[in-house]
Amino acid sequence: MSMEELKQDDQIISKLKQTCSDLNNLLQLSFNVETSLSEIEDKFNVMQENLSIASRRIAPLQSLSIANKALDTKINRAISPALSLLESFKLSESLQRKLLELSSKLANEKSFNKRMEKLIKYVDMVDDLNEAISSISRECEPAIQKLQEVVEFLSRTKATDQFRTHRLKETLITLKALCETEVDAMRFDGLLDDALLNLQDEYESLLNKMRHRNFFEAKSDRDDDDDHDDVVAAADTVSTDLGSELEVEVLTRISETLAANDCLDICIDIFVKVRYKRAAKALMRLNPEYLKTYSLEEIDEMEWACLETAISLWIQHFELAIKNVFVSEKKLCCQVLGTIMDGVIWPECFVKIADKIMAVFFRFGEGVARSKKEPQKLFKLLDMFESLEKLKPEFSEIFAGEAGADICSRFRELEKLLVHSSTKVFFELGLQIEANQDVLPPQDGSVPKLVRYAINYLKYLLTDAYSATMIRVLRTEQIWKAGVLSTPETDENLLKDAMFNIVDAIRRNVESKKLRYKDKVLPHVFVMNTYWYIYMRTRSTELGKLIGDQYMKKTYKIVAEESAYSYQKQAWSPLVRMLDKEELKRVDKDGLTAMIRGKMDAFTKGFDDITQRHKSFYHIPDADLREQMREATMKLVVPAYTEFLNNFASSLHVKSYPSPEYIEDTLNQMFEVVDHHKSSGKSSLRPRQMRDPSDGSKSLSGEQSRRSKDFRRSKTSAIDT
């Protein structure tokens, strides 16, 4: 074995020895640890025994601690509501102090807008105070109940000393007394009540300042006096807002606050009372004194001019009330009260404001409709009906809903009354004309006032202003009588039948009256004047077109011409026949001169008599007709007289008898015609021969003569009253 190998073996042996020594040390160390662990175990056993003994000794204290914690929790739960209640009391006191301060600032504020802003803050603070008091009211009962439970528990369990239990009992009694007295006092007798009363005053004052203004003038400040509180009398104005956005906001907030504090009835009463007065006052500025007259007896006793003016004012004021006053009032009512009770209240409030005012208007309208059915009232009744028809859409919108049902119903009833009254007045016109037959005709043969009135009445009724309304009224009346399912007549036939009945009543009236003349000439003058007037006044008018031109010519024109011929035959033909020369042929020369002079004397006397009768009794008011009668009479009388005078001049003392020029001038004067030929050297009047209408040729006013303007239509077209 080499040295090297030996060295290696020695090293290995050395390492093994070292390892053996380390193992011995480790074993010794393990033994020592085991010994220590055994000692520790003995100590732990001793400690566990000591802890068991300690645990058994402190167990009663642990139960007592748990009981104390439970009692503490129970007491805290009872006191917490009371503490919260105290905080609410503190908040209420703080709000009351701030409310007093703000109330003082509000009273001293002069600027309107700043005052409105402060008033909104005041309302907010009143709402906060109300909420604080409501919170106190809600918290009182739970706090008392919790304290009651704790006091009863402690009294029953003796869980604490008597001193503490006694203090809790005193606290309970004090809290009960406070809730029973102070809370109600805070709500109903304290500063909140004063604040609500103050808000009611502010509410009324602000509502009273919202006035209906004159729309043609610039708005004045809200602080202006009542002298500037005007409304326009014209009915074509538009509504306007009664208050600014800020004012409306303040009123709305106050309304909500009053409603939230059980003052809704008071709020509504104030609103309705004030706005009714303002609306009524606005309309009273128009001086509607006529509205005080509404009974049938009072209206029947009114002079027609006064009643006519009153009806015209009623139409204007009624339209103004609807389009302006009530539109504005409804808008304000909706703005201010619309948020209360989901918008259920405000329509009834608006109707309460409008009801009394509308009742006054309805009362007058109904009185007029029920009054005497005099002919002149028809046009005003139609005006009233037409105004209601135009207002119906707006009226229905303004008073829509259940609240306005009664007012809408009365509106419809007034329309029905006006329809019935208008048709009755119209149809009774014919009956009144029929009943007028016993009245004596004009003693001068002129056109009766009744005929003038009736013709112009019908012409005026057929103008654009009234024809459509009259047709609507007649149709409505027809539908009501015959039923909705009936076959209605056309508008033209409906109006034509009604007009024809009245025109025919006029004809029968004239035919009856002409028989009452004792004079032979006057009936012909009367019929000629009257029928010619009727024809000329209806020709080329809506009335003439409606009745029919052929009918008017046949019934009135031709009869007027026949009467004119009869007038000539009765009045002048006998005078001309006195100058007949046939009788002279049968007389000898000795008696000829006497007969000639007798004829001239009779003619002169007859001429004077008939001219005098014309001046006194026979009157032809129509200038064109009078001119034609003059021409016809001139052609009939003057040539015959001139020829007779010239033929027998040798047998007469010509200077003893009227000259032809005198006869002509007398006829001109009799027919009230200026003699132009004296100044111009020739006459501007063309003579025309009078013909018998039975010969079939054109007579008094034929178409040819009408075209040549021999007959000129009268310019008068207005209704004769």
Side-chain angles (χ1 to χ4, degrees):
M1 175 176 305
S2 63
M3 289 298 290
E4 214 175 293
E5 291 177 350
L6 288 174
K7 286 182 180 180
Q8 291 179 350
D9 291 338
D10 289 337
Q11 290 177 352
I12 292 171
I13 292 171
S14 178
K15 290 180 179 179
L16 288 173
K17 287 180 179 180
Q18 184 65 37
T19 302
C20 181
S21 176
D22 291 338
L23 286 173
N24 288 329
N25 292 335
L26 183 60
L27 289 173
Q28 184 63 41
L29 183 59
S30 298
F31 178 75
N32 293 336
V33 169
E34 183 179 0
T35 302
S36 297
L37 288 173
S38 178
E39 292 176 354
I40 291 171
E41 183 178 2
D42 292 339
K43 291 180 179 179
F44 270 113
N45 289 333
V46 173
M47 291 176 63
Q48 185 175 6
E49 184 177 355
N50 292 335
L51 287 174
S52 297
I53 295 170
S55 177
R56 286 193 297 271
R57 290 179 178 178
I58 66 173
L61 296 176
Q62 187 177 8
S63 299
L64 183 60
S65 176
I66 293 173
N68 286 334
K69 288 181 180 180
L71 181 61
D72 185 60
T73 302
K74 195 172 188 68
I75 292 173
N76 287 338
R77 280 202 301 267
I79 293 176
S80 293
L83 294 176
S84 177
L85 183 60
L86 290 175
E87 290 298 324
S88 296
F89 272 110
K90 291 180 181 179
L91 177 61
S92 173
E93 291 178 359
S94 175
L95 289 172
Q96 290 183 44
R97 287 194 300 271
K98 293 180 180 179
L99 197 61
L100 288 172
E101 294 175 0
L102 186 57
S103 178
S104 178
K105 294 179 180 179
L106 192 62
N108 296 325
E109 184 60 62
K110 301 299 182 183
S111 172
F112 180 79
N113 288 334
K114 289 182 179 179
R115 195 172 190 282
M116 291 297 100
E117 293 174 358
K118 283 185 171 61
L119 193 54
I120 290 178
K121 293 180 181 179
Y122 187 84
V123 174
D124 290 336
M125 201 163 292
V126 171
D127 289 338
D128 292 340
L129 179 58
N130 178 51
E131 180 58 31
I133 294 175
S134 298
S135 176
I136 291 172
S137 180
R138 290 193 303 269
E139 293 172 358
C140 276
E141 187 175 351
I144 292 172
Q145 185 177 355
K146 293 295 183 181
L147 281 176
Q148 182 74 35
E149 291 175 358
V150 170
V151 170
E152 290 177 355
F153 175 76
L154 293 177
S155 299
R156 185 176 62 254
T157 60
K158 308 295 183 183
T160 186
D161 58 85
Q162 294 181 356
F163 176 74
R164 293 178 179 175
T165 303
H166 180 70
R167 286 186 61 188
L168 284 175
K169 285 182 180 180
E170 289 182 345
T171 303
L172 177 61
I173 294 170
T174 303
L175 189 58
K176 281 183 178 181
L178 183 64
C179 291
E180 290 175 356
T181 58
E182 292 297 327
V183 174
D184 289 342
M186 291 173 65
R187 179 174 292 279
F188 302 110
D189 297 321
L191 188 59
L192 177 61
D193 185 64
D194 294 339
L196 292 174
L197 291 175
N198 189 27
L199 285 181
Q200 292 172 21
D201 294 338
E202 293 286 350
Y203 191 66
E204 182 173 357
S205 175
L206 190 54
L207 284 172
N208 197 49
K209 287 183 179 180
M210 293 184 173
R211 301 162 185 165
H212 296 269
R213 298 288 171 176
N214 187 337
F215 295 91
F216 296 114
E217 296 179 0
K219 287 187 177 181
S220 57
D221 293 336
R222 292 294 179 186
D223 295 331
D224 287 353
D225 57 21
D226 287 347
D227 291 338
H228 298 285
D229 183 23
D230 298 326
V231 291
V232 292
D236 56 351
T237 55
V238 294
S239 63
T240 183
D241 291 339
L242 293 174
S244 64
E245 292 183 3
L246 184 58
E247 290 173 310
V248 171
E249 181 184 359
V250 172
L251 287 172
T252 304
R253 293 295 308 279
I254 294 177
S255 299
E256 293 170 348
T257 298
L258 293 176
N261 286 273
D262 299 326
C263 297
L264 179 58
D265 291 341
I266 298 174
C267 173
I268 293 174
D269 288 343
I270 293 174
F271 190 93
V272 171
K273 178 188 70 175
V274 174
R275 292 320 306 166
Y276 164 73
K277 287 183 178 179
R278 296 313 303 178
K281 190 171 184 179
L283 293 172
M284 286 301 294
R285 299 288 291 181
L286 303 174
N287 297 320
E289 291 293 325
Y290 63 91
L291 291 176
K292 295 180 180 179
T293 304
Y294 57 87
S295 67
L296 297 184
E297 295 78 8
E298 291 175 324
I299 291 178
D300 288 337
E301 291 175 0
M302 287 181 68
E303 294 183 2
W304 169 240
C306 296
L307 182 58
E308 186 179 24
T309 302
I311 294 173
S312 298
L313 290 175
W314 181 89
I315 293 171
Q316 294 180 8
H317 296 171
F318 190 87
E319 185 175 353
L320 178 64
I322 300 302
K323 286 187 174 182
N324 184 282
V325 176
F326 290 139
V327 169
S328 301
E329 291 294 343
K330 183 177 182 180
K331 183 176 182 180
L332 180 64
C333 199
C334 179
Q335 289 173 328
V336 175
L337 302 176
T339 59
I340 299 174
M341 294 183 66
D342 298 326
V344 176
I345 292 296
W346 75 266
E348 296 182 5
C349 295
F350 168 67
V351 170
K352 287 181 180 179
I353 295 170
D355 185 57
K356 291 182 180 179
I357 297 175
M358 291 306 304
V360 175
F361 279 107
F362 286 140
R363 187 176 61 185
F364 178 82
E366 291 163 358
V368 172
R370 291 192 175 102
S371 61
K372 289 181 181 178
K373 304 303 182 283
E374 297 171 339
Q376 69 269 22
K377 288 183 181 178
L378 176 60
F379 301 102
K380 283 304 173 183
L381 291 172
L382 293 178
D383 287 340
M384 293 172 71
F385 176 78
E386 183 65 19
S387 69
L388 294 186
E389 282 291 295
K390 290 179 180 179
L391 283 174
K392 187 182 290 184
E394 294 173 270
F395 192 93
S396 299
E397 181 180 354
I398 291 174
F399 295 102
E402 184 178 353
D406 290 340
I407 293 181
C408 289
S409 176
R410 196 160 181 185
F411 182 90
R412 291 191 295 270
E413 288 300 320
L414 177 56
E415 276 200 313
K416 290 180 181 179
L417 277 175
L418 291 173
V419 169
H420 289 312
S421 298
S422 299
T423 53
K424 191 169 183 180
V425 168
F426 183 62
F427 289 126
E428 283 191 0
L429 177 61
L431 299 177
Q432 292 177 6
I433 293 173
E434 292 276 3
N436 189 258
Q437 292 179 2
D438 295 335
V439 178
L440 291 174
Q443 296 303 306
D444 58 358
S446 59
V447 182
K449 291 182 179 179
L450 175 65
V451 174
R452 293 178 181 273
Y453 180 86
I455 292 299
N456 288 284
Y457 186 96
L458 297 181
K459 286 173 59 181
Y460 192 56
L461 188 59
L462 287 176
T463 58
D464 293 339
Y466 292 104
S467 59
T469 307
M470 190 71 238
I471 291 173
R472 189 184 302 118
V473 167
L474 292 173
R475 181 169 302 287
T476 303
E477 182 75 7
Q478 182 190 50
I479 292 174
W480 287 346
K481 287 182 177 180
V484 179
L485 299 179
S486 62
T487 302
E489 296 185 30
T490 62
D491 290 348
E492 183 177 358
N493 289 338
L494 189 67
L495 197 56
K496 181 178 180 179
D497 292 343
M499 291 290 178
F500 182 83
N501 291 334
I502 297 178
V503 172
D504 197 51
I506 296 173
R507 183 189 63 79
R508 292 194 299 272
N509 181 277
V510 173
E511 292 296 322
S512 174
K513 285 184 176 179
K514 77 176 184 179
L515 302 176
R516 300 176 67 84
Y517 286 109
K518 296 180 180 180
D519 186 280
K520 294 181 179 180
V521 178
L522 270 176
H524 306 300
V525 175
F526 173 69
V527 174
M528 175 184 67
N529 283 330
T530 305
Y531 280 13
W532 186 248
Y533 175 87
I534 293 174
Y535 175 72
M536 292 302 293
R537 284 303 178 94
T538 57
R539 187 181 63 171
S540 302
T541 65
E542 293 300 325
L543 178 60
K545 295 176 184 177
L546 186 67
I547 300 299
D549 186 58
Q550 291 301 320
Y551 174 83
M552 297 302 295
K553 285 182 178 180
K554 179 180 178 181
T555 307
Y556 297 102
K557 178 187 175 186
I558 293 177
V559 176
E561 292 171 347
E562 291 174 350
S563 298
Y565 177 78
S566 299
Y567 156 74
Q568 287 284 331
K569 187 175 180 181
Q570 290 288 340
W572 299 104
S573 293
L575 186 64
V576 174
R577 282 197 298 270
M578 292 179 183
L579 302 177
D580 185 29
K581 293 179 288 187
E582 292 296 325
E583 296 179 1
L584 298 177
K585 296 177 181 180
R586 296 189 292 270
V587 180
D588 55 18
K589 185 176 287 186
D590 294 334
L592 181 62
T593 301
M595 182 173 284
I596 291 173
R597 291 179 178 179
K599 282 182 174 289
M600 284 297 290
D601 291 339
F603 177 87
T604 303
K605 182 180 179 182
F607 183 79
D608 291 339
D609 181 66
I610 195 170
T611 53
Q612 188 61 38
R613 292 187 67 81
H614 270 81
K615 292 178 181 179
S616 303
F617 300 107
Y618 307 153
H619 180 53
I620 304 174
D622 185 86
D624 293 330
L625 183 59
R626 191 169 60 250
E627 166 65 10
Q628 292 194 62
M629 292 298 98
R630 184 197 69 82
E631 288 185 359
T633 303
M634 198 81 72
K635 285 183 178 181
L636 181 65
V637 175
V638 175
Y641 179 78
T642 302
E643 182 183 359
F644 190 89
L645 187 64
N646 291 336
N647 289 338
F648 302 103
S650 59
S651 301
L652 298 170
H653 296 291
V654 176
K655 295 183 179 180
S656 300
Y657 296 100
S659 65
E661 289 78 9
Y662 173 81
I663 298 296
E664 184 176 350
D665 289 342
T666 302
L667 289 176
N668 284 334
Q669 293 175 7
M670 185 185 69
F671 286 104
E672 299 178 11
V673 177
V674 178
D675 190 357
H676 294 283
H677 77 278
K678 289 185 177 180
S679 59
S680 62
K682 61 179 181 178
S683 175
S684 61
L685 300 175
R686 292 178 298 171
R688 179 170 49 193
Q689 184 179 359
M690 189 70 187
R691 297 180 180 178
D692 190 336
S694 63
D695 65 3
S697 61
K698 298 293 180 181
S699 58
L700 174 66
S701 55
E703 291 300 313
Q704 183 177 0
S705 61
R706 181 178 62 83
R707 286 194 297 269
S708 64
K709 298 184 181 179
D710 288 335
F711 270 17
R712 292 182 296 276
R713 186 181 174 196
S714 174
K715 296 181 180 180
T716 305
S717 61
I719 186 168
D720 296 337
T721 53

